[in-house]
Amino acid sequence: KSTSTADSAPSASSSMGPSSNIAAFLEKNEITLHIPQGGNEVTPILSFSQLDVPEQLRAAFDGFKEPTPIQACSWPPALEGRDVVGIAETGRCVHISAQLSSRPQSLLRSGKTLAFGLPALARLVASPLSKDKKSKGTTVSVLVMAPTRELAIQTHETLEKLGEPFRIASVAVYGGVDK
């Protein structure tokens, strides 16, 4: 079951197809969307061709047939810059990606990582670098907090690979000791 809450660059195309297809998609995947009062409706992205993102970021879905449910529902508001809270089963993304054994390991489990990572990178690519001399060209524009070291490393590796063509760096900072 997936749940997404949307709270405003790159965008998702609005030509999604009949609303009956969307209703069937939401029902099939047991998805509930909670939209704040006065908020815009979220129309899931059912096909990668509906995404308006830089071509180099499209490599993220090489080998994938269609967006995962969490991606389909989180990308439209996230690409608009709206806040999104999404909850998705871990096993579902691993199962969908497990067929792609030729993919790098860091991308095998990235269904949820791409749900927030792709819009974040697309917005960074679309944003001009700061002209402030004090920043020396270095800014922190996205912060991802992960509950475990393993997830922090997985997220870092996925975003680092996707950001490389754009010279977008990723750093993982974590504490504790190895298991």
Side-chain angles (χ1 to χ4, degrees):
K1 183 174 182 177
S2 296
T3 302
S4 180
T5 302
D7 175 16
S8 288
S11 66
S13 169
S14 61
S15 57
M16 303 302 159
S19 60
S20 61
N21 288 349
I22 293 167
F25 171 82
L26 295 173
E27 184 176 333
K28 173 186 164 200
N29 291 289
E30 300 177 20
I31 297 172
T32 304
L33 297 174
H34 299 279
I35 313 299
Q37 188 172 11
N40 295 334
E41 288 297 314
V42 173
T43 303
I45 293 174
L46 305 181
S47 167
F48 293 121
S49 65
Q50 296 171 295
L51 282 174
D52 181 21
V53 296
E55 192 60 38
Q56 293 98 326
L57 286 178
R58 293 183 170 280
F61 18 93
D62 285 350
F64 288 88
K65 180 181 172 192
E66 60 193 17
T68 63
I70 190 68
Q71 292 167 348
C73 295
S74 66
W75 282 341
L79 285 166
E80 292 174 4
R82 296 189 301 173
D83 293 336
V84 177
V85 175
I87 302 168
E89 294 177 26
T90 298
R92 184 176 299 205
C93 294
V94 172
H95 175 72
I96 290 170
S97 302
Q99 303 166 22
L100 308 172
S101 59
S102 64
R103 304 282 296 162
Q105 183 66 20
S106 63
L107 292 178
L108 276 176
R109 300 170 299 197
S110 61
K112 287 190 292 287
T113 303
L114 292 178
F116 65 81
L118 186 91
L121 288 171
R123 289 187 63 81
L124 285 175
V125 169
S127 300
L129 286 176
S130 172
K131 303 288 186 204
D132 182 3
K133 291 181 182 181
K134 293 179 184 178
S135 72
K136 298 181 184 176
T138 304
T139 60
V140 176
S141 300
V142 176
L143 174 65
V144 177
M145 297 181 67
T148 66
R149 171 188 303 220
E150 293 78 14
L151 189 54
I153 292 169
Q154 173 192 321
T155 301
H156 160 70
E157 290 173 350
T158 300
L159 296 179
E160 184 175 58
K161 280 183 175 65
L162 289 175
E164 189 174 25
F166 305 100
R167 298 184 51 190
I168 295 174
S170 175
V171 176
V173 179
Y174 49 84
V177 295
D178 287 332
K179 287 185 176 182

